[in-house]
Each structure stands twice: as structure tokens, then as C-alpha cells.
Amino acid sequence: HRNRIEYNYIHHIGPGKLCDMGGIYTLGTSPGTVVRNNLIHDIWDWEEGYGAGGVYPDEGSSQILIENNVVYRTATAGLGVHYGKDNIARNNVIALGRDQQVYLGRSDKDSSIKFERNIVYYDEGKLFVRESRLEADYNLYWNTSGEPVTFLNDLNWEQWRAKGLDVHSVIADPKFVDASAGDFRLQPDSPALKLGFQPIDMRFVGPRAADGR
């Protein structure tokens, strides 16, 4: 409990070698634990494997705050919750997952998540998979392929919001500086800022000198 996993730069792991793993992996109930300000990208599995995510709260991971992370180019999901309850994912950039972007949990387990003020940006795969008790609002979703954004069970935007989910969220281009080059800073006119999304400063992630440089 009360773990802090912060300011790590995790990238290019797993291809051709590993599966059922993540850039950051948790297991079990962890009250007070925070996963914050991490930069994670290029997390891949082997050809016949399964599961290679960015932030991966596995079986029973609960009471964890996941915020201010930038996660992109993953095999399975930028955020892959197996199951767990009372987790919060807020103010994250989750981008360019291959198979899907977010695992929400499992309906046959005691699983719940609050998903708010996130940007989910993708060009293939599904947006959400697996159902759990979900609170979702003030998020921005964008599918760059030109296909419509659809939600669990292929619900469209109107059907999804009719369930009381994402009533203040938007489907819009977040206007990243250069997503293709891994620059997920927001331009000043990004619609995400109007939703209360707080820009994420990635300048200090990863190895650095003792004086903080």
C-alpha cells in the first residue's frame, strides 16, 4: 500500500519474447498507491502470445490512482485492467493501441473504475473492451482512421451517453503537437483543455542526475 510509481520512462519491451505483461504491472489491493507521470511506449508481445499493455493492473488490483501518464503504441491496451475495484484513471493520454485501447475490468468480478479527463486517441482496434462498474466523464475520444467512435457492445455515441456515461465528454481531434512523432503535448486550442485536462510535463521522466537535471 501507498506505493508511488512515478517519472519512469519505459519503452521497447516484449517484442517476440514476452506476453501477459505491462510496462507497469500491479497485482492485488493497494490502497493509496499512485501511478503517475510515467512515459510508456512500444510495449509488444510475441506472435502467439497475449497481453502486452502500458499500465496493467492485473487480477484484483484495487484502490489505485493512475494519472498524468502518457502511454502509446501498445499491443493490447494502454490501460489494461484485468479486474479490481475502486480504481481511478484520470488525466492520461492513451494512444495508438493495436488491439484495443482500454480494458475496463470484468463484469463477473467485483470490478469498478472511474475514468475521467482522459484523452484516448487511436487508429485501429476497439476503444473499450470488457464491462465493469464504470463512471466516465470529461474524456476526449478520437479515431484517426475516420471510422466512427464506438463503445462497449458497439454502442454509438448517443446510445452510450443515454446510459449516463460521458455526458460531458467529446469526440474531437485533441490537436497534439505531433502524435506520429510521439509528441503528445497539446496545442493551445485543444478541445481537451476545455474539459479540464491538465497538460502533462514529460521533461523530467526517466534517468536523471542527482541534481534533477
Coordinates of all heavy atoms in Angstrom, one line a residue, residues 18-94:
L18 N 7.9 -11.8 -24.9 CA 7.1 -11.8 -23.7 C 5.6 -11.7 -24.0 O 5.2 -11.2 -25.1 CB 7.5 -10.7 -22.8 CG 9.0 -10.7 -22.3 CD1 9.2 -9.4 -21.5 CD2 9.3 -11.9 -21.5
C19 N 4.8 -12.0 -23.1 CA 3.3 -11.7 -23.1 C 2.8 -11.7 -21.7 O 3.5 -12.1 -20.8 CB 2.6 -12.7 -24.0 SG 2.4 -14.4 -23.3
D20 N 1.5 -11.3 -21.6 CA 0.8 -11.2 -20.3 C 1.7 -10.3 -19.4 O 2.0 -10.7 -18.3 CB 0.5 -12.5 -19.7 CG -0.5 -12.4 -18.6 OD1 -1.2 -11.4 -18.6 OD2 -0.6 -13.3 -17.8
M21 N 2.0 -9.1 -19.8 CA 2.9 -8.2 -19.0 C 2.6 -6.8 -19.4 O 1.8 -6.5 -20.4 CB 4.3 -8.6 -19.3 CG 4.8 -8.6 -20.7 SD 5.4 -6.9 -21.3 CE 5.6 -7.3 -23.0
G22 N 3.2 -5.9 -18.7 CA 3.0 -4.5 -19.0 C 4.2 -3.7 -18.7 O 5.1 -4.1 -17.9
G23 N 4.2 -2.4 -19.1 CA 5.2 -1.5 -18.8 C 5.3 -1.3 -17.3 O 6.3 -1.3 -16.6
I24 N 4.1 -1.1 -16.7 CA 3.9 -1.1 -15.2 C 2.9 -2.1 -14.9 O 1.7 -2.0 -15.4 CB 3.5 0.3 -14.7 CG1 4.7 1.3 -15.0 CG2 3.2 0.3 -13.3 CD1 4.4 2.8 -14.6
Y25 N 3.2 -3.0 -14.0 CA 2.3 -4.1 -13.7 C 2.0 -4.1 -12.2 O 3.0 -4.0 -11.4 CB 3.0 -5.4 -14.1 CG 2.2 -6.7 -13.8 CD1 1.4 -7.3 -14.7 CD2 2.3 -7.3 -12.5 CE1 0.8 -8.5 -14.4 CE2 1.7 -8.5 -12.2 CZ 0.9 -9.1 -13.2 OH 0.2 -10.2 -12.9
T26 N 0.8 -4.3 -11.8 CA 0.4 -4.3 -10.4 C -0.4 -5.6 -10.2 O -1.1 -6.1 -11.1 CB -0.3 -3.1 -10.0 OG1 -1.6 -3.0 -10.6 CG2 0.4 -1.8 -10.3
L27 N -0.5 -6.0 -8.9 CA -1.3 -7.2 -8.6 C -1.8 -7.0 -7.1 O -1.0 -6.8 -6.2 CB -0.4 -8.4 -8.7 CG -1.1 -9.8 -8.5 CD1 -2.1 -10.0 -9.7 CD2 -0.1 -10.9 -8.4
G28 N -3.1 -7.0 -6.9 CA -3.6 -7.0 -5.6 C -4.1 -5.7 -5.1 O -3.9 -4.7 -5.8
T29 N -4.8 -5.7 -4.0 CA -5.3 -4.5 -3.4 C -4.2 -3.6 -2.9 O -3.3 -4.1 -2.1 CB -6.3 -4.8 -2.2 OG1 -7.3 -5.7 -2.8 CG2 -6.9 -3.6 -1.6
S30 N -4.2 -2.3 -3.3 CA -3.0 -1.5 -3.0 C -3.5 -0.1 -2.6 O -3.3 0.9 -3.3 CB -2.1 -1.4 -4.2 OG -1.6 -2.6 -4.6
P31 N -4.2 0.1 -1.4 CA -4.7 1.4 -1.1 C -3.7 2.4 -1.0 O -2.6 2.2 -0.5 CB -5.4 1.1 0.3 CG -4.8 -0.1 0.8 CD -4.4 -0.9 -0.4
G32 N -4.0 3.6 -1.6 CA -3.0 4.7 -1.5 C -2.0 4.7 -2.6 O -1.1 5.6 -2.6
T33 N -2.0 3.7 -3.4 CA -0.9 3.6 -4.5 C -1.2 4.5 -5.6 O -2.4 4.7 -6.1 CB -0.8 2.1 -5.0 OG1 -0.2 1.4 -3.9 CG2 0.0 2.0 -6.2
V34 N -0.2 5.2 -6.2 CA -0.3 6.1 -7.2 C 0.6 5.8 -8.4 O 1.8 5.5 -8.1 CB 0.0 7.6 -6.8 CG1 -0.1 8.6 -7.9 CG2 -1.0 8.0 -5.7
V35 N 0.1 5.7 -9.6 CA 0.9 5.5 -10.8 C 0.8 6.8 -11.6 O -0.2 7.1 -12.2 CB 0.4 4.3 -11.6 CG1 1.3 4.1 -12.9 CG2 0.4 3.0 -10.8
R36 N 1.9 7.6 -11.6 CA 1.8 9.0 -12.0 C 3.0 9.4 -12.9 O 4.1 9.1 -12.6 CB 1.6 9.9 -10.8 CG 1.5 11.4 -11.1 CD 1.6 12.2 -9.8 NE 0.4 12.1 -9.0 CZ 0.5 11.8 -7.7 NH1 1.6 11.7 -7.1 NH2 -0.7 11.7 -7.0
N37 N 2.7 10.2 -13.9 CA 3.8 10.9 -14.7 C 4.8 9.9 -15.3 O 6.0 10.2 -15.2 CB 4.4 12.0 -13.9 CG 3.6 13.3 -13.8 OD1 2.9 13.5 -12.9 ND2 3.8 14.1 -14.8
N38 N 4.3 8.8 -15.8 CA 5.2 7.9 -16.5 C 5.0 8.0 -18.0 O 3.9 8.3 -18.5 CB 4.9 6.5 -16.0 CG 5.1 6.3 -14.5 OD1 6.2 6.2 -14.1 ND2 4.0 6.3 -13.8
L39 N 6.1 7.8 -18.7 CA 6.0 7.8 -20.2 C 6.3 6.4 -20.6 O 7.4 5.8 -20.3 CB 7.1 8.8 -20.8 CG 7.2 8.8 -22.3 CD1 5.9 9.2 -23.0 CD2 8.3 9.8 -22.7
I40 N 5.3 5.8 -21.3 CA 5.4 4.4 -21.7 C 5.1 4.2 -23.2 O 4.0 4.7 -23.6 CB 4.5 3.5 -20.8 CG1 4.7 3.7 -19.3 CG2 4.6 2.0 -21.2 CD1 3.7 3.2 -18.4
H41 N 5.9 3.5 -23.9 CA 5.5 3.3 -25.3 C 6.3 2.1 -25.9 O 7.3 1.6 -25.4 CB 5.8 4.5 -26.2 CG 7.2 4.9 -26.3 ND1 8.1 4.4 -27.3 CD2 8.0 5.8 -25.7 CE1 9.3 5.0 -27.2 NE2 9.2 5.8 -26.2
D42 N 5.7 1.6 -27.0 CA 6.2 0.4 -27.7 C 6.4 -0.8 -26.8 O 7.5 -1.3 -26.5 CB 7.5 0.8 -28.4 CG 7.3 1.7 -29.5 OD1 6.9 1.3 -30.6 OD2 7.5 2.9 -29.4
I43 N 5.2 -1.3 -26.3 CA 5.1 -2.5 -25.5 C 4.4 -3.6 -26.3 O 3.2 -3.4 -26.6 CB 4.3 -2.2 -24.2 CG1 4.8 -0.9 -23.5 CG2 4.4 -3.4 -23.3 CD1 6.2 -0.9 -23.1
W44 N 5.2 -4.6 -26.7 CA 4.7 -5.6 -27.7 C 4.8 -7.0 -27.1 O 5.6 -7.3 -26.2 CB 5.4 -5.4 -29.0 CG 5.4 -4.1 -29.6 CD1 6.4 -3.2 -29.7 CD2 4.2 -3.4 -30.1 NE1 5.9 -2.0 -30.3 CE2 4.6 -2.1 -30.5 CE3 2.9 -3.8 -30.3 CZ2 3.7 -1.2 -31.1 CZ3 2.0 -2.9 -30.9 CH2 2.4 -1.6 -31.3
D45 N 4.0 -7.9 -27.7 CA 4.1 -9.3 -27.3 C 4.7 -10.2 -28.4 O 5.2 -9.6 -29.4 CB 2.7 -9.8 -27.0 CG 1.7 -9.5 -28.1 OD1 2.1 -9.1 -29.2 OD2 0.5 -9.7 -27.9
W46 N 4.7 -11.5 -28.2 CA 5.2 -12.4 -29.2 C 4.1 -12.9 -30.1 O 2.9 -12.7 -29.7 CB 6.1 -13.5 -28.7 CG 5.4 -14.3 -27.6 CD1 5.2 -14.0 -26.3 CD2 5.0 -15.7 -27.7 NE1 4.6 -15.0 -25.6 CE2 4.5 -16.1 -26.4 CE3 5.0 -16.6 -28.7 CZ2 4.0 -17.3 -26.2 CZ3 4.5 -17.9 -28.5 CH2 4.0 -18.2 -27.2
E47 N 4.4 -13.4 -31.2 CA 3.3 -13.6 -32.2 C 2.1 -14.4 -31.7 O 1.0 -14.1 -32.1 CB 4.0 -14.4 -33.4 CG 3.0 -14.5 -34.6 CD 3.7 -15.1 -35.8 OE1 5.0 -15.3 -35.8 OE2 3.0 -15.5 -36.8
E48 N 2.4 -15.5 -30.9 CA 1.3 -16.3 -30.4 C 1.0 -16.0 -29.0 O 0.3 -16.8 -28.3 CB 1.6 -17.7 -30.6 CG 1.7 -18.1 -32.1 CD 2.0 -19.6 -32.3 OE1 2.1 -20.3 -31.3 OE2 2.3 -20.0 -33.5
G49 N 1.5 -14.9 -28.5 CA 1.2 -14.6 -27.1 C 0.0 -13.8 -26.9 O -0.8 -13.6 -27.8
Y50 N -0.3 -13.3 -25.7 CA -1.4 -12.4 -25.4 C -1.0 -11.5 -24.3 O -0.3 -11.8 -23.4 CB -2.6 -13.2 -25.0 CG -2.6 -13.9 -23.7 CD1 -3.1 -13.3 -22.5 CD2 -1.9 -15.1 -23.5 CE1 -3.0 -13.8 -21.3 CE2 -1.8 -15.7 -22.2 CZ -2.3 -15.0 -21.1 OH -2.2 -15.6 -19.9
G51 N -1.5 -10.3 -24.5 CA -1.3 -9.3 -23.4 C 0.0 -8.6 -23.3 O 1.0 -9.2 -22.9
A52 N 0.1 -7.4 -23.8 CA 1.2 -6.5 -23.6 C 0.7 -5.1 -23.5 O 0.4 -4.5 -24.6 CB 2.2 -6.7 -24.8
G53 N 0.5 -4.6 -22.3 CA -0.1 -3.3 -22.1 C 0.9 -2.3 -21.6 O 2.0 -2.6 -21.2
G54 N 0.4 -1.1 -21.5 CA 1.2 0.0 -20.9 C 1.1 0.0 -19.4 O 2.1 -0.4 -18.7
V55 N 0.0 0.4 -18.8 CA -0.3 0.2 -17.4 C -1.2 -0.9 -17.2 O -2.3 -0.9 -17.8 CB -0.9 1.5 -16.8 CG1 -1.1 1.3 -15.3 CG2 0.1 2.7 -17.0
Y56 N -0.8 -2.0 -16.5 CA -1.6 -3.2 -16.4 C -1.9 -3.6 -15.0 O -1.1 -4.3 -14.3 CB -0.7 -4.3 -17.1 CG -1.3 -5.7 -17.2 CD1 -2.6 -6.0 -16.8 CD2 -0.6 -6.7 -17.7 CE1 -3.2 -7.2 -16.9 CE2 -1.1 -8.0 -17.8 CZ -2.4 -8.3 -17.4 OH -2.9 -9.5 -17.5
P57 N -3.0 -3.1 -14.4 CA -3.4 -3.5 -13.1 C -4.1 -4.9 -13.3 O -5.2 -5.0 -13.7 CB -4.5 -2.5 -12.7 CG -4.3 -1.3 -13.7 CD -3.8 -2.0 -14.9
D58 N -3.4 -5.9 -12.9 CA -3.8 -7.3 -13.1 C -4.8 -7.7 -12.0 O -5.2 -6.9 -11.1 CB -2.6 -8.2 -13.2 CG -2.9 -9.5 -14.0 OD1 -4.1 -9.7 -14.4 OD2 -2.0 -10.4 -14.1
E59 N -5.0 -9.0 -11.9 CA -6.1 -9.6 -11.0 C -6.2 -8.9 -9.7 O -5.3 -9.0 -8.8 CB -5.8 -11.1 -10.9 CG -5.8 -11.8 -12.2 CD -5.8 -13.3 -12.0 OE1 -6.2 -13.8 -10.9 OE2 -5.3 -14.0 -12.9
G60 N -7.3 -8.3 -9.4 CA -7.6 -7.8 -8.1 C -7.0 -6.5 -7.8 O -7.1 -6.0 -6.7
S61 N -6.2 -5.9 -8.7 CA -5.6 -4.6 -8.4 C -6.7 -3.6 -8.1 O -7.5 -3.3 -8.9 CB -4.7 -4.1 -9.6 OG -3.6 -5.0 -9.8
S62 N -6.6 -3.0 -6.9 CA -7.7 -2.2 -6.5 C -7.2 -1.0 -5.7 O -6.1 -1.0 -5.2 CB -8.6 -3.0 -5.5 OG -9.2 -4.1 -6.2
Q63 N -8.0 0.1 -5.7 CA -7.7 1.3 -5.0 C -6.4 2.0 -5.4 O -5.7 2.5 -4.6 CB -7.7 1.0 -3.5 CG -9.0 0.4 -2.9 CD -8.9 0.1 -1.5 OE1 -8.4 0.9 -0.7 NE2 -9.5 -1.1 -1.1
I64 N -6.3 2.0 -6.7 CA -5.1 2.6 -7.3 C -5.5 3.8 -8.1 O -6.4 3.8 -8.9 CB -4.3 1.6 -8.2 CG1 -3.9 0.4 -7.4 CG2 -3.1 2.2 -8.9 CD1 -3.3 -0.8 -8.2
L65 N -4.7 4.9 -8.0 CA -4.9 6.1 -8.8 C -3.9 6.1 -9.9 O -2.6 6.0 -9.7 CB -4.7 7.3 -7.9 CG -4.7 8.7 -8.6 CD1 -6.0 9.0 -9.4 CD2 -4.4 9.8 -7.6
I66 N -4.3 6.2 -11.2 CA -3.5 6.2 -12.4 C -3.7 7.5 -13.1 O -4.8 7.8 -13.6 CB -3.9 5.0 -13.3 CG1 -3.7 3.7 -12.5 CG2 -3.0 5.0 -14.5 CD1 -4.4 2.5 -13.2
E67 N -2.7 8.4 -13.0 CA -3.0 9.7 -13.5 C -1.7 10.3 -14.2 O -0.6 10.0 -13.8 CB -3.5 10.7 -12.4 CG -2.5 11.0 -11.4 CD -3.0 12.0 -10.3 OE1 -4.2 12.5 -10.5 OE2 -2.3 12.3 -9.4
N68 N -1.9 11.2 -15.1 CA -0.9 12.0 -15.8 C 0.2 11.1 -16.5 O 1.4 11.5 -16.5 CB -0.2 12.9 -14.7 CG -1.1 14.0 -14.2 OD1 -2.3 14.1 -14.6 ND2 -0.6 14.8 -13.3
N69 N -0.2 10.0 -17.0 CA 0.7 9.2 -17.7 C 0.4 9.3 -19.2 O -0.7 9.6 -19.7 CB 0.4 7.7 -17.4 CG 0.6 7.5 -15.9 OD1 1.8 7.4 -15.4 ND2 -0.5 7.3 -15.2
V70 N 1.5 9.2 -20.0 CA 1.4 9.2 -21.5 C 1.8 7.8 -21.9 O 2.9 7.3 -21.7 CB 2.3 10.2 -22.1 CG1 2.2 10.1 -23.7 CG2 1.9 11.6 -21.7
V71 N 0.8 7.1 -22.6 CA 1.1 5.7 -23.0 C 0.6 5.5 -24.4 O -0.5 5.9 -24.8 CB 0.2 4.7 -22.1 CG1 0.6 3.3 -22.4 CG2 0.4 5.0 -20.6
Y72 N 1.5 5.0 -25.3 CA 1.2 4.9 -26.7 C 1.9 3.7 -27.3 O 2.9 3.2 -26.8 CB 1.4 6.2 -27.4 CG 2.9 6.6 -27.5 CD1 3.6 6.4 -28.7 CD2 3.5 7.4 -26.5 CE1 4.9 6.9 -28.8 CE2 4.8 7.9 -26.6 CZ 5.5 7.6 -27.8 OH 6.8 8.0 -27.9
R73 N 1.4 3.2 -28.4 CA 1.9 2.1 -29.2 C 2.1 0.9 -28.3 O 3.2 0.5 -27.9 CB 3.2 2.4 -29.9 CG 2.9 3.3 -31.1 CD 4.1 3.2 -32.1 NE 5.3 3.6 -31.6 CZ 5.9 4.8 -31.7 NH1 5.3 5.8 -32.4 NH2 7.1 5.0 -31.2
T74 N 0.9 0.2 -28.0 CA 0.9 -1.0 -27.2 C 0.2 -2.1 -27.9 O -0.7 -1.8 -28.7 CB 0.3 -0.8 -25.8 OG1 -1.1 -0.3 -26.0 CG2 1.0 0.2 -25.0
A75 N 0.5 -3.3 -27.6 CA -0.1 -4.4 -28.3 C -1.6 -4.6 -27.9 O -2.5 -4.8 -28.7 CB 0.6 -5.7 -28.1
T76 N -1.8 -4.6 -26.6 CA -3.1 -4.9 -26.0 C -3.9 -3.7 -25.6 O -5.0 -3.5 -26.1 CB -2.9 -5.9 -24.8 OG1 -2.2 -7.0 -25.2 CG2 -4.3 -6.3 -24.3
A77 N -3.4 -2.9 -24.8 CA -4.1 -1.7 -24.3 C -3.2 -0.8 -23.6 O -2.2 -1.2 -22.9 CB -5.2 -2.2 -23.3
G78 N -3.4 0.5 -23.8 CA -2.7 1.5 -23.0 C -2.9 1.3 -21.5 O -2.0 1.4 -20.7
L79 N -4.2 1.1 -21.2 CA -4.6 0.8 -19.8 C -5.4 -0.6 -19.8 O -6.4 -0.7 -20.5 CB -5.5 1.9 -19.2 CG -6.1 1.6 -17.9 CD1 -5.1 1.4 -16.8 CD2 -7.1 2.7 -17.5
G80 N -4.8 -1.6 -19.2 CA -5.4 -2.9 -19.2 C -5.8 -3.4 -17.8 O -5.0 -4.1 -17.2
V81 N -7.0 -3.1 -17.3 CA -7.5 -3.5 -16.0 C -8.0 -4.9 -16.2 O -9.0 -5.1 -16.9 CB -8.5 -2.6 -15.4 CG1 -9.0 -3.1 -14.1 CG2 -8.0 -1.2 -15.4
H82 N -7.4 -5.9 -15.5 CA -8.0 -7.3 -15.6 C -9.3 -7.3 -14.8 O -10.4 -7.5 -15.3 CB -7.0 -8.3 -15.1 CG -7.4 -9.7 -15.2 ND1 -6.7 -10.8 -14.8 CD2 -8.6 -10.2 -15.7 CE1 -7.3 -11.9 -15.1 NE2 -8.5 -11.6 -15.6
Y83 N -9.2 -7.1 -13.5 CA -10.3 -6.7 -12.7 C -9.8 -6.1 -11.4 O -8.6 -6.3 -11.0 CB -11.2 -7.9 -12.4 CG -10.7 -9.1 -11.6 CD1 -10.7 -9.0 -10.2 CD2 -10.1 -10.2 -12.2 CE1 -10.1 -10.1 -9.4 CE2 -9.5 -11.2 -11.5 CZ -9.6 -11.1 -10.1 OH -9.0 -12.2 -9.3
G84 N -10.6 -5.4 -10.7 CA -10.3 -4.7 -9.5 C -11.3 -3.6 -9.2 O -12.0 -3.2 -10.1
K85 N -11.3 -3.1 -8.0 CA -12.4 -2.2 -7.7 C -11.8 -0.9 -7.2 O -10.7 -0.8 -6.6 CB -13.4 -2.8 -6.7 CG -12.8 -3.2 -5.4 CD -13.9 -3.8 -4.5 CE -13.3 -4.2 -3.1 NZ -14.3 -4.8 -2.3
D86 N -12.6 0.2 -7.3 CA -12.3 1.5 -6.8 C -10.9 2.0 -7.4 O -10.2 2.7 -6.7 CB -12.2 1.5 -5.3 CG -13.5 1.0 -4.6 OD1 -14.6 1.3 -5.2 OD2 -13.5 0.3 -3.6
N87 N -10.7 1.7 -8.6 CA -9.5 2.3 -9.3 C -10.0 3.6 -10.0 O -11.1 3.8 -10.4 CB -9.0 1.3 -10.3 CG -8.4 0.1 -9.7 OD1 -7.5 0.2 -8.8 ND2 -8.8 -1.1 -10.1
I88 N -9.0 4.5 -10.1 CA -9.3 5.8 -10.8 C -8.2 6.0 -11.9 O -7.0 5.9 -11.6 CB -9.3 7.0 -9.8 CG1 -10.3 6.8 -8.7 CG2 -9.4 8.3 -10.5 CD1 -10.2 7.9 -7.6
A89 N -8.7 6.3 -13.1 CA -7.8 6.6 -14.2 C -8.2 8.0 -14.7 O -9.3 8.2 -15.2 CB -7.9 5.6 -15.3
R90 N -7.3 9.0 -14.5 CA -7.7 10.4 -14.8 C -6.5 11.1 -15.4 O -5.3 10.9 -15.0 CB -8.2 11.1 -13.6 CG -7.3 11.5 -12.6 CD -7.9 12.1 -11.4 NE -7.0 12.5 -10.3 CZ -7.3 12.6 -9.0 NH1 -8.6 12.5 -8.7 NH2 -6.4 12.9 -8.1
N91 N -6.8 12.0 -16.4 CA -5.8 12.9 -17.0 C -4.6 12.1 -17.6 O -3.5 12.5 -17.4 CB -5.3 13.9 -15.9 CG -5.0 15.2 -16.6 OD1 -5.9 16.1 -16.7 ND2 -3.7 15.5 -17.0
N92 N -4.9 11.0 -18.3 CA -3.9 10.3 -19.0 C -4.1 10.4 -20.5 O -5.2 10.6 -21.0 CB -4.0 8.8 -18.7 CG -3.9 8.5 -17.2 OD1 -2.8 8.5 -16.7 ND2 -5.0 8.2 -16.5
V93 N -3.0 10.3 -21.3 CA -3.1 10.2 -22.7 C -2.9 8.7 -23.0 O -1.9 8.1 -22.6 CB -2.0 11.0 -23.4 CG1 -2.0 10.6 -24.9 CG2 -2.2 12.5 -23.2
I94 N -3.9 8.1 -23.6 CA -3.8 6.7 -24.0 C -4.0 6.6 -25.5 O -5.0 7.0 -26.1 CB -4.9 5.9 -23.3 CG1 -4.8 6.0 -21.8 CG2 -5.0 4.4 -23.8 CD1 -6.0 5.5 -21.0

